[in-house]
Amino acid sequence: MKSSKLLLDQVSKEFGDGDTTVNVLDNISLDIKSGEFVAVVGPSGSGKSTFLSIAGALLSPTRGRIWMGDQEVTRLSAKKLNALRLNHIGFVFQSSNLIPYLAVRDQLLLIAKLAGQHGQEPQQRADDLLHRLGLSHRRFHYPESLSGGERQRVAIARAWMNNPELILADEPTASLDSERGRTVVQMLADEVKLRQKAAVMVTHDKRMLDLCDRIIYIEDGKLSEQRSPTLL
Ligand SMILES: Nc1ncnc2c1ncn2[C@@H]1O[C@H](COP(=O)(O)OP(=O)(O)OP(=O)(O)O)[C@@H](O)[C@H]1O
Ligand SMILES: [Mg+2]
C-alpha cells in the first residue's frame, strides 16, 4: 500500500467566537497518498483556502489531528513547524505574495538560503525552474514590473525551489492564459507522478481537472469526493 503524505483526522476550523462563530470546516477527514494530485473545488467562501492553509500548517485547526508522513503536525513546536514548512511543503498562495524588494531569481534563492543551501546547486535549480516556467528573461526584474501571470509563475517556481514532498497551490492558474495554465498544471502532475510527491490544488478551472487523480468538493464545511471530472 502507498504511504500517506497528508492525513487529516476529524478536523474542524471555526473563526471568531460566541455569536459570530463561523464553522468553516466541520469534522473533515482526508488521506492523500504519495503520487496523488488532488483538486479542491467549491463555491467562493466555502473554505478552500482555509483548508489549504491548515493542510500546509500555516493555520491550526480548532479540533482534530493532522499527520504529514509519520509526523503529527498538530503536536509540533513552532520551531519544528517552521522547519517542516521550509523543507517539505511548497505553497503557492492565492495572491502571489512575492517579496517586493527582491528580484525574481532572488525570490527563489532566498528559499534555498533559508534552508541552508548555498553555492552553484541552488542557482542552477533556480535558473532551470525559471526556464521551465518561461521566466528566464525576467530573472532580474522586481515583482512590481511583472504582469499578474508572471508573478504567479514566480510564486510557482518559488514553491518548487525546496523540492517539497507536498505542494499546495491556491488557484495557481487564475492569472494565466489557458495554454500556460495547462503547462503549469501538467508540470505539477508530472512532478507528483515521477517523484512520488503529492499536490493539492484549489481551482475554479474545470479544464484542469482531467490532470488530477481526485476531486474534492467543499461546501457547507463538508468534503465530498468526485472521481470523474465530467460529473461536475
Ligand atoms: N481569519 C478569518 N477570520 C474570520 N473569518 C474568516 C477568516 N478567514 C476566512 N474566514 C471566513 O471563512 C470562510 C472561508 O474562507 P476561505 O478563504 O477559506 O474561502 P475560499 O473557499 O477560499 O473562497 P474563495 O474561492 O473566494 O477564495 C469565509 O466565509 C471567510 O469569510
Ligand atoms: Mg480562496
Side-chain angles (χ1 to χ4, degrees):
M1 209 182 86
K2 289 206 164 168
S3 58
S4 261
K5 276 280 197 243
L6 176 69
L7 188 71
L8 278 74
D9 182 29
Q10 304 192 340
V11 166
S12 296
K13 182 66 183 176
E14 294 164 8
F15 286 116
D17 55 351
D19 289 348
T20 56
T21 302
V22 189
N23 288 306
V24 180
L25 300 175
D26 184 10
N27 211 23
I28 60 168
S29 296
L30 182 69
D31 184 359
I32 298 177
K33 308 274 190 202
S34 298
E36 283 189 328
F37 185 16
V38 178
V40 174
V41 297
S44 178
S46 59
K48 302 181 298 297
S49 295
T50 305
F51 165 76
L52 217 60
S53 299
I54 286 180
L58 292 167
L59 200 62
S60 5
T62 310
R63 281 180 298 282
R65 298 162 81 183
I66 298 168
W67 279 267
M68 216 163 273
D70 50 13
Q71 274 199 314
E72 187 182 341
V73 177
T74 28
R75 293 175 70 112
L76 294 178
S77 64
K79 198 173 163 190
K80 287 196 168 144
L81 271 180
N82 268 334
L84 178 82
R85 283 193 292 258
L86 191 56
N87 296 309
H88 299 288
I89 305 174
F91 214 107
V92 184
F93 294 93
Q94 196 165 8
S95 51
S96 52
N97 271 12
L98 299 178
I99 299 164
Y101 53 84
L102 285 182
V104 166
R105 189 168 183 262
D106 291 330
Q107 308 264 349
L108 272 62
L109 292 177
L110 174 66
I111 302 295
K113 205 167 164 184
L114 288 172
Q117 300 163 11
H118 304 276
Q120 290 285 319
E121 205 278 327
Q123 293 184 22
Q124 256 163 27
R125 186 163 171 77
D127 288 339
D128 175 52
L129 279 168
L130 292 173
H131 175 71
R132 285 171 72 191
L133 287 155
L135 287 165
S136 296
H137 61 307
R138 293 283 177 265
R139 271 189 302 170
F140 302 116
H141 286 231
Y142 288 86
E144 61 171 13
S145 67
L146 301 176
S147 73
E150 285 170 341
R151 275 181 217 155
Q152 204 161 29
R153 279 181 280 146
V154 177
I156 292 164
R158 185 180 59 177
W160 233 290
M161 190 59 197
N162 58 359
N163 201 13
E165 288 302 305
L166 177 67
I167 296 171
L168 302 167
D170 203 343
E171 301 200 40
T173 62
S175 337
L176 304 182
D177 60 72
S178 58
E179 195 184 326
R180 183 73 79 180
R182 191 150 179 104
T183 307
V184 165
V185 177
Q186 183 76 59
M187 268 175 76
L188 257 176
D190 291 348
E191 179 85 359
V192 166
K193 296 292 163 213
L194 281 173
R195 305 196 199 193
Q196 288 297 298
K197 304 205 164 187
V200 183
M201 172 179 74
V202 172
T203 186
H204 279 118
D205 191 345
K206 293 190 175 138
R207 290 167 305 178
M208 303 298 169
L209 296 180
D210 61 312
L211 294 169
C212 302
D213 305 298
R214 296 168 65 185
I215 299 160
I216 307 282
Y217 185 75
I218 302 191
E219 191 163 27
D220 298 332
K222 301 282 187 194
L223 296 190
S224 56
E225 189 147 345
Q226 275 177 288
R227 285 207 175 255
S228 168
T230 53
L231 295 177
L232 284 172

